Amino acid sequence: MNRLLVTAWLLLWPCLLWAQQPQEGAGSGQDQQGQVEINPDVTTQARVAVADFVARTSANRATEEAAETFNRVLWDDLEFSARFEMPSKSFYPLRPIRNASDVSFEDWQVPTLDVDYLAFGNIQVDVNGTVLEAFLYDVGTREQIIGQRYRLTRTEQIRRSAHAFADQVVFNLTAGASRGVAQTQIAFTSEKGGSKEIYVVDYDGFNERTITANDGLNKFPDWSNENRYLAFVTNLPGSARWELWVQDLEGASGRQVIQVPTTYVSSPSFSPDGSRLALSARAVDKSDPDVFIADIERALSGQGGGSRLRNLTNHPSIDTAPTWSPTGRQLAFISDRSGTPQIWMMDADGSNLRRLTQDGGHCDSPDWSPDGRRIAFSWQAPRQWKHDIFIIDVATGVTNQVTSGRGSAENPHWSPDGRHLVFQSTRTGSKQIFIVNVDGENLKQITAYGINENPAWSGYRSLER
C-alpha cells in the first residue's frame, strides 16, 4: 500500500498482547501455531547429485570460466527450488563426467551419497560460440531423463541455459507439478538519486534492466498474466497527480490506460486473466481511498475506449492494497474500518464482505498464493515496533510467521510455484529486496545498491509462447 497512508493509521487502540517475542533469524514461528509448511506438502524428497560440468574437448580459459558460471548457477537454482536433497559435492567421486559412458552408477549409490538422480554434462567455448550438453539420469534404472544440447552465441546466455536446465530438472522430477522459478523475474522500485524507477531482474538478482526512465516517482509494479505488461503508479515531475500506467514489455512504450478522476491512486493488481485491474483510489468527493476495479482489456488491445471504473468498497475508511484470488472470483484488501488496518475479503463484485485477520496490530500488503489456500502479508503485531512477513490460511485463519530478526520486512509477493516469497527489508540498514522459502529458510538478498522496495514476482509465460 502507499506509505503515505501509514501515518493515518496510528495504532491508538487497545490490542491483544503477543504471547512471545520472535527469536533472531528468518523462519522463527515459535509464537505461532506451527511452522509454515512448504506447498505442496513434501514427505520425502528425491536425492539429486549435480556433478560439475567439464570441458568437452580442450579446457581453454573461456571454457573454464563458462563451466564455472554454469555450475554455480545450476547448483544455486536447484538448491533454492526447495524440491530436493542435494548431498555435498565433497562426497562425489573424483572422476570427471562428460557423457553417460563416463558414469559408474555404483559409485553414486554408496551410503554417503545414495542419490536417486544424477545431473552432469559438458561445455566447450571456441571461436564459433558455445556448445553445452546437459543430462539427467535415473541412477537406479540408469535411464536418461533429460538430454539437452544448447548452442549459445553470447557469454551471457550461459546463465540463461543453466536456469533453463534447472527448470527442466524440476519439471521432470516433480512429474510436471512445478515449472521451477529459475527463469522467472522480479520487478521492483529503485531509488537512485532523486527519482524512483521500475526495474526488472532475474529471480537471483542478475541481469538488472530499467523499465521506466521518466525521472518521476514510479511505484507498486504488478505483472499481467504471461508477463507481457507491468502496471504501476507514477507521479511525473512537476505533476501533483498520481497516475496509473501500464508498460508493454514487448517493445511498446508505457501509457496511461485508466483516467482516474483523482490526485491519488495506488496498488494496481492484475486479475488472473489480465482483463481487469484492481486498484486503490480516492474519488474526487471523498477524503479516503476505496478499492476499484477497471476493465482494461480493450485499452490494452489498442481498441480504444474508456476503462470502466467501479467502486467496490465505497466506505468511509481507508481501503487499499487489493489482491486477487487465483480464480478471479474474490479480492482481499486492507481496511481500517474495524479500527486498525486488517485484511478483509470480498467477492469480485463487492459482496460477501468479511474480515480475515483478527489479532489487531497493523496488517499491510496482502498477496494471495497461487493455489488460493493462503495469503502472505506484513504485520506489525500489537506492541511491536516493526513489520514481519506472515502467512494466513484462508480457510482456517491459522497464521504462521516467515521472517524475524533485524529490521522490518514488508510487501511480500509469492513466486509462481507457491514455495517462495520476495519482500523488502531494512535488515541490512536500507530497504533492499530479499527472497526466501515459505518456511523461512534459504534467505537471499538480491539487491544491494540504492533504496529498493515494492517487489513483484513474475508469473509463468504460456508454454506456447
Side-chain angles (χ1 to χ4, degrees), residues 18 31-32 44 63 106 115 120 124 189 239 256 263 277 283 310 319 322 350 361-362 377 411 419 430 453:
W18 218 13
D31 47 351
Q32 303 299 314
T44 59
T63 298
E106 309 83 30
V115 297
F120 60 89
Q124 192 66 45
T189 294
S239 173
Q256 186 179 8
T263 59
L277 271 174
R310 290 172 288 161
D319 299 323
H362 184 147
F377 64 103
N411 286 310
R419 300 174 73 90
S430 62
E453 57 188 352

Side-chain angles (χ1 to χ4, degrees), residues 131 295-296 360 408 421:
V131 175
D295 297 314
I296 60 170
S408 277
L421 291 166

Side-chain angles (χ1 to χ4, degrees), residues 126-433:
D126 57 29
V127 294
N128 297 315
T130 301
V131 175
L132 171 69
E133 293 180 331
F135 304 94
L136 178 69
Y137 270 74
D138 185 315
V139 174
T141 65
R142 305 188 180 187
E143 294 179 348
Q144 178 180 295
I145 300 173
I146 299 174
Q148 183 73 46
R149 171 174 287 190
Y150 302 88
R151 293 186 179 275
L152 314 176
T153 58
R154 301 188 304 275
T155 56
E156 60 265 26
Q157 293 175 325
I158 297 294
R159 298 188 65 88
R160 294 181 187 176
S161 59
H163 291 325
F165 182 61
D167 282 346
Q168 278 190 293
V169 171
V170 171
F171 183 83
N172 279 271
L173 297 190
T174 62
S178 173
R179 291 169 57 184
V181 297
Q183 296 178 94
T184 60
Q185 297 179 310
I186 292 170
F188 62 98
T189 294
S190 184
E191 181 178 357
K192 300 180 177 74
S195 66
K196 291 185 177 182
E197 305 290 354
I198 305 296
Y199 288 77
V200 168
V201 293
D202 292 350
Y203 95 98
D204 57 2
F206 284 82
N207 297 326
E208 180 178 294
R209 62 190 178 103
T210 306
I211 302 301
T212 65
N214 56 31
D215 295 325
L217 301 178
N218 302 277
K219 303 178 68 174
F220 307 116
D222 190 67
W223 297 84
S224 70
N225 61 328
E226 299 189 1
N227 306 331
R228 176 169 178 176
Y229 300 102
L230 274 177
F232 55 94
V233 298
T234 186
N235 178 233
L236 297 174
S239 173
R241 295 173 55 89
W242 284 92
E243 300 174 347
L244 197 150
W245 284 61
V246 171
Q247 174 71 49
D248 188 337
L249 299 180
E250 295 188 354
S253 60
R255 53 201 170 102
Q256 186 179 8
V257 297
I258 302 175
Q259 298 290 335
V260 182
T262 178
T263 59
Y264 167 78
V265 62
S266 178
S267 310
S269 177
F270 272 104
S271 63
D273 65 0
S275 67
R276 295 171 291 172
L277 271 174
L279 60 137
S280 177
R282 184 173 53 240
V284 292
D285 58 342
K286 293 190 175 183
S287 59
D288 59 275
D290 286 311
V291 172
F292 291 79
I293 285 184
D295 297 314
I296 60 170
E297 190 169 20
R298 287 180 58 85
L300 291 179
S301 65
Q303 299 179 45
S307 298
R308 189 171 50 141
L309 202 61
R310 290 172 288 161
N311 189 333
L312 297 188
T313 54
N314 198 24
H315 188 276
S317 63
I318 296 175
D319 299 323
T320 189
T323 177
W324 293 88
S325 70
T327 63
R329 297 174 182 172
Q330 295 174 302
L331 286 161
F333 64 101
I334 296 294
S335 178
D336 68 349
R337 65 186 62 204
S338 59
T340 60
Q342 300 297 310
I343 302 177
W344 291 70
M345 294 172 53
M346 61 182 170
D347 291 348
D349 62 0
S351 64
N352 198 21
L353 181 71
R354 60 198 183 278
R355 180 175 168 180
L356 183 59
T357 54
Q358 305 291 335
D359 294 329
H362 184 147
C363 299
D364 199 358
S365 53
D367 190 58
W368 218 307
S369 66
D371 65 2
R373 291 170 45 197
R374 299 164 294 173
I375 292 175
F377 64 103
S378 68
W379 184 32
Q380 183 181 4
R383 302 192 182 183
Q384 298 298 298
W385 63 272
K386 68 185 184 72
H387 281 78
D388 272 301
I389 305 303
F390 292 78
I391 296 174
I392 186 168
D393 187 286
V394 174
T396 66
V398 173
T399 303
N400 290 287
Q401 186 171 357
V402 179
T403 66
S404 62
R406 298 185 302 272
S408 277
E410 300 176 84
N411 286 310
H413 199 285
W414 293 89
S415 64
D417 67 348
R419 300 174 73 90
H420 317 279
L421 291 166
V422 63
F423 62 97
Q424 71 189 51
S425 177
T426 57
R427 63 181 57 221
T428 58
S430 62
K431 289 181 183 179
Q432 299 299 333
I433 308 300

